[in-house]
Structure formats: structure tokens, C-alpha cells
Amino acid sequence: MSVTVYDRLFLVFEALKSDQVREQLHTSLGDIRVEIFCESVPKTAENFLALCASGYYDKTTFHRNVAGFIIQGGDPTGKGKGGQSIYGQNFEDEIKPGLRHFERGTLSMANRGPDTNASQFFITYAAAPHLDGKNTIFGKVLEGSDTTLEKMEAVEVDKKYRPKEPIFLNATTIHANPLAD
């Protein structure tokens, strides 16, 4: 029995009822398990989870990789200039004072300025307090920070911080009930 997009979207709506949602990012360098902050930033969480559930991120690349700073993905063109939210247009920031870029593994929306969120996101390699108040934090890495993120950070890049060897986000898995894992 295959899982349909509708089955995956049902998981999103079930997941949004809890702030304990886990997501598995299956990359070409290993898996990263993240927690999504559904209760704290509901619109951003809904956007990310629905894009994951629809397969939007499947087979996309991480197009920006700055060692000691971030790895960025979520653009289906792979160039860092594309992407669309589930809302059909950019959506507003959900900046929360208690959510800070204070450690490695912070999951945050990439943008071009205030209220320009779409599909692109990044994961920090280190604390980045200068991003607080500018980018919506919607999750954190639970597993894979010392393995997969380490491998990603070590990938050689060009002058524009594009990986010389592509790093793929092959697929995602939503775990609506982490206690059932």
C-alpha cells in the first residue's frame, strides 16, 4: 500500500495539534532528526510540514553552505532565488523573543527581508545571534548535529559558498507522534 499526498497532509494536520512534532530529513550525507515548534510558530510550521508532506523538498539540493555559519536549502531551482510557500505568496515572520539562534542546529526560515518567507530554510552550524529578530526560528536539530551536519559542513564550496559536490535533501518523514517511534 502506497502513501498518498493526502495521507501525508493528514499527518501534517494531526501534527499541528502538538508542539512535539519530529521530522526526519533524509540527506545524501545522512539523516537529521528535527523538532518542529508547531505551537510557537504555527504558520511557519504548517508551511514547512505541508511542503515536506507534499514532496516539495524531495530531491532538492542545499545550495548554500557556509562553514561555521549555516547550510541553506528549500529552493527547488537549486539556485537560492526560488521557492514558494503553501500560501501562494510570501508570508509574515513569526519572531518570538524566546526563540534564539544560540546554538548549532537551529532550524530557521531564510528570507530576503521582513515578511518574505517562502520555502527556503537553513540550519545553523554555530550560534548566530545577529539573526535574532530577522529570521523565524521554527525548529531545532535533535539528532545528526555531530554526524550529518559535520559531514555537510566539511563539503568543499566555491567562492559563492555553493557546494562543489551536491548535497541532496532526498526525502522527509513526518513523525506526528514521537512517542510511537
Side-chain angles (χ1 to χ4, degrees):
M1 180 174 140
S2 65
V3 178
T4 68
V5 170
Y6 297 108
D7 294 330
R8 294 179 84 186
L9 288 173
F10 175 77
L11 283 176
V12 169
F13 294 115
E14 287 299 304
L16 289 170
K17 296 177 183 176
S18 167
D19 205 31
Q20 296 297 313
V21 177
R22 306 293 198 270
E23 175 82 19
Q24 192 91 9
L25 308 178
H26 306 286
T27 80
S28 54
L29 296 178
D31 289 350
I32 301 171
R33 192 175 189 95
V34 298
E35 178 179 352
I36 307 298
F37 305 146
C38 297
E39 214 170 87
S40 301
V41 289
K43 192 165 189 171
T44 304
E46 179 181 29
N47 181 67
F48 183 74
L49 290 169
L51 290 172
C52 288
S54 71
Y56 185 86
Y57 293 129
D58 292 359
K59 308 273 188 268
T60 60
T61 59
F62 288 92
H63 59 271
R64 186 172 176 222
N65 189 21
V66 185
F69 182 42
I70 65 163
I71 186 156
Q72 185 173 332
D75 172 12
T77 72
K79 305 229 185 280
K81 305 220 184 264
Q84 188 172 354
S85 77
I86 62 167
Y87 309 110
Q89 57 191 4
N90 293 339
F91 65 96
E92 66 276 2
D93 296 322
E94 291 181 290
I95 305 297
K96 304 296 179 187
L99 297 176
R100 322 280 289 157
H101 295 90
F102 70 95
E103 65 183 341
R104 179 180 184 86
T106 301
L107 182 60
S108 200
M109 290 301 291
N111 61 38
R112 295 180 321 278
D115 302 324
T116 59
N117 299 295
S119 65
Q120 292 189 43
F121 63 91
F122 62 87
I123 301 171
T124 60
Y125 285 135
H130 63 285
L131 298 178
D132 293 344
K134 296 178 183 170
N135 298 82
T136 299
I137 296 169
F138 65 95
K140 67 179 180 180
V141 172
L142 298 174
E143 295 174 19
S145 183
D146 57 348
T147 54
T148 304
L149 278 184
E150 199 168 285
K151 290 177 190 173
M152 292 172 144
E153 193 171 14
V155 170
E156 193 175 344
V157 297
D158 66 17
K159 292 180 198 172
K160 293 185 176 184
Y161 300 103
R162 298 188 189 285
K164 288 188 175 182
E165 293 294 321
I167 304 169
F168 289 97
L169 176 51
N170 294 321
T172 62
T173 303
I174 298 169
H175 300 279
N177 181 356
L179 300 176
D181 289 347

